[in-house]
Amino acid sequence: MNKKITVLPGDGIGPEIVAEALKVLNKIGERYAHSFTYTYVDIGGCSIDKHGVPITDEGMELCKSADSVLLGAVGGPKWDNCPPAIRPEKALLAVRKELGLFANLRPTKLFPQLSDASPLKQEIVGGGIDLLIVRELTGGVYFGERKTEQVNGELVATDLMPYSEHEIERIGRVAFETAIKRGKRLASVDKANVLDTSRLWRKTMHKLAEEYTEVEYSDILVDNTAMQLIKNPTQFDVLVTENMFGDILSDEASMLTGSIGMMPSASLGSGTLGMYEPIHGSAPDIAGMNLANPIGTILSVAMMLRYSFDMAEEADVIETAVNAVLDAGYRTQDIMQDGCTKVFCTEMGDLITERI
Ligand code: NAD
């Protein structure tokens, strides 16, 4: 297969981690006779410096016309005082909007080899955690009407949380399809005992559950989910939820692994085009020092193969290679443990590539 990938290395450690992920992808191309072609586009601070905007119109067009987009990270202290309209992260929101990416997939995987890094007790996480949160990204209270007004002599603020059936159905389909590609279990998170949006959410999910009979479906209230993620996170396979609940729960879940450098993510729309990126930022404190952990970006490439290109076997091969390198005791500095071998960013990329 031939796939065109628009690559947005960005700022800080972005170019370093993206280079390692592309090494891995090239090796996959060799092994499976796929051809991946890369078009590089400036994004974030480096684009502000060169072009005066966080992403140019031509850059945006190259994202839209690609088969998939790979992002490193954007931002850094140099651009902290830019006017709001041209801040580095504006480009991320613009790309998500222009590409219609309404679904955010965030796997939370605690590799058993790194279970010491989790803040939870060994008896809870010793066997590892492997769950995935599907968060609705373009609806709900973050996009609803909001106002602050004077009522009876005091200020009253209101934020509306609208959801339409079609918005719920399309994220529901992504979640069911994702569950089919994983452990075939889906829990839908809502607050249906209180909120109308959640009651419509639940009704719509139940309709879909009748269609996707191979998926074991359940409902769970958001407050209970927050508790269960700490008490027994290994019970979950895929969780689907609306925008704000997903924002909060995915940050809670990412902390269970204790290491931000390991975590990938995907943002998807109705077609196969997606944007893939590690969940961390540009880590200006270690930029240019070859110290970054590239695994979050390498696992983002595995997600790209799985979700945009339908190359499940190739994705498995990358995940197995990462596992094998951790088993062999290699660690970048952020996940270093006693008795392990400390390696630089480029070495970690090489070690994983060798095992493809
Ligand atoms: P950060 O995620 O960049 O860094 C937090 C800490 O984690 C730092 O100590 C950093 O060294 C470490 N870290 C992060 N990724 C790592 C990796 N791959 N390997 C090893 N260590 C890693 O968050 P921050 O410091 O709050 O933000 C720095 C900049 O990144 C800011 O300008 C922020 O706006 C931006 N940011 C961008 C994104 C994005 O591009 N999606 C996301 C979050 C923050």
Side-chain angles (χ1 to χ4, degrees):
M1 271 196 221
N2 297 319
K3 296 290 178 193
K4 285 185 301 175
I5 300 169
T6 294
V7 180
L8 313 171
D11 307 313
I13 61 170
E16 300 169 53
I17 52 180
V18 162
E20 299 315 305
L22 295 185
K23 250 186 214 170
V24 172
L25 196 54
N26 287 336
K27 189 69 185 292
I28 287 284
E30 263 173 48
R31 176 168 161 184
Y32 287 91
H34 299 310
S35 132
F36 299 114
T37 48
Y38 309 123
T39 306
Y40 288 82
V41 167
D42 295 321
I43 192 166
C46 64
S47 177
I48 295 172
D49 288 350
K50 266 198 221 168
H51 315 288
V53 285
I55 186 163
T56 60
D57 292 346
E58 302 81 64
M60 186 66 84
E61 285 308 313
L62 288 165
C63 291
K64 283 195 206 164
S65 60
D67 292 314
S68 201
V69 177
L70 177 66
L71 170 74
V74 297
K78 182 175 176 197
W79 304 283
D80 277 352
N81 297 320
C82 284
I86 60 154
R87 284 183 62 88
E89 56 273 22
K90 270 274 169 192
L92 298 187
L93 299 178
V95 174
R96 282 181 197 143
K97 186 162 170 254
E98 288 284 320
L99 271 55
L101 306 176
F102 61 84
N104 185 232
L105 271 58
R106 261 210 201 183
T108 294
K109 190 167 167 112
L110 172 63
F111 290 84
Q113 305 92 323
L114 302 181
S115 61
D116 284 353
S118 174
L120 297 188
K121 289 184 184 146
Q122 276 302 303
E123 64 253 38
I124 298 176
V125 297
I129 299 172
D130 187 3
L131 62 90
L132 187 146
I133 295 179
V134 178
R135 167 189 168 194
E136 203 289 324
L137 207 53
T138 55
V141 71
Y142 294 171
F143 290 87
E145 195 188 315
R146 66 189 84 250
K147 62 180 177 203
T148 304
E149 60 192 335
Q150 281 285 346
V151 179
N152 298 331
E154 63 174 340
L155 286 174
V156 175
T158 316
D159 297 277
L160 289 183
M161 185 180 187
Y163 263 111
S164 61
E165 273 177 295
H166 85 271
E167 285 174 308
I168 302 170
E169 186 181 329
R170 68 181 184 179
I171 188 76
R173 286 198 186 281
V174 170
F176 277 99
E177 298 287 344
T178 305
I180 288 170
K181 290 179 182 163
R182 290 179 40 108
K184 297 194 171 51
R185 288 184 296 118
L186 176 65
S188 169
V189 179
D190 63 33
K191 189 71 185 167
N193 52 345
V194 179
L195 300 175
D196 259 19
T197 43
S198 281
R199 284 191 270 271
L200 181 62
W201 181 277
R202 194 175 278 207
K203 195 170 148 203
T204 310
M205 289 291 165
H206 283 196
K207 257 195 234 160
L208 288 174
E210 286 171 18
E211 213 178 294
Y212 291 93
T213 47
E214 68 268 54
V215 175
E216 190 189 313
Y217 173 86
S218 58
D219 301 302
I220 181 165
L221 292 175
V222 62
D223 38 353
N224 188 22
T225 311
M227 277 199 312
Q228 294 299 328
L229 279 172
I230 304 297
K231 195 174 160 205
N232 180 14
T234 58
Q235 71 184 285
F236 295 118
D237 177 22
V238 179
L239 294 154
V240 61
T241 192
E242 64 88 42
N243 203 344
M244 182 169 64
F245 297 163
D247 188 9
I248 298 167
L249 293 176
S250 62
D251 269 21
E252 183 191 356
S254 73
M255 274 315 294
L256 302 178
T257 72
S259 63
I260 199 172
M262 303 284 298
M263 308 274 292
S265 78
S267 299
L268 305 174
S270 45
T272 54
L273 171 58
M275 180 161 79
Y276 297 82
E277 58 185 300
I279 70 160
H280 58 73
S282 60
D285 51 333
I286 56 166
M289 298 161 84
N290 203 10
L291 292 177
N293 183 347
I295 294 179
T297 319
I298 291 171
L299 293 174
S300 298
V301 161
M303 290 189 83
M304 177 189 289
L305 296 176
R306 191 180 300 283
Y307 295 109
S308 278
F309 302 160
D310 214 7
M311 298 179 183
E313 185 183 326
E314 291 87 330
D316 286 346
V317 165
I318 295 180
E319 287 161 7
T320 305
V322 168
N323 217 13
V325 169
L326 295 175
D327 266 346
Y330 295 107
R331 304 280 187 271
T332 42
Q333 88 165 359
D334 56 311
I335 52 172
M336 186 57 191
Q337 293 164 297
D338 285 348
C340 290
T341 311
K342 193 159 145 187
V343 295
F344 288 104
C345 178
T346 45
E347 287 178 86
M348 183 55 95
D350 290 339
L351 288 162
I352 295 168
T353 307
E354 279 165 21
R355 284 163 176 77
I356 298 291

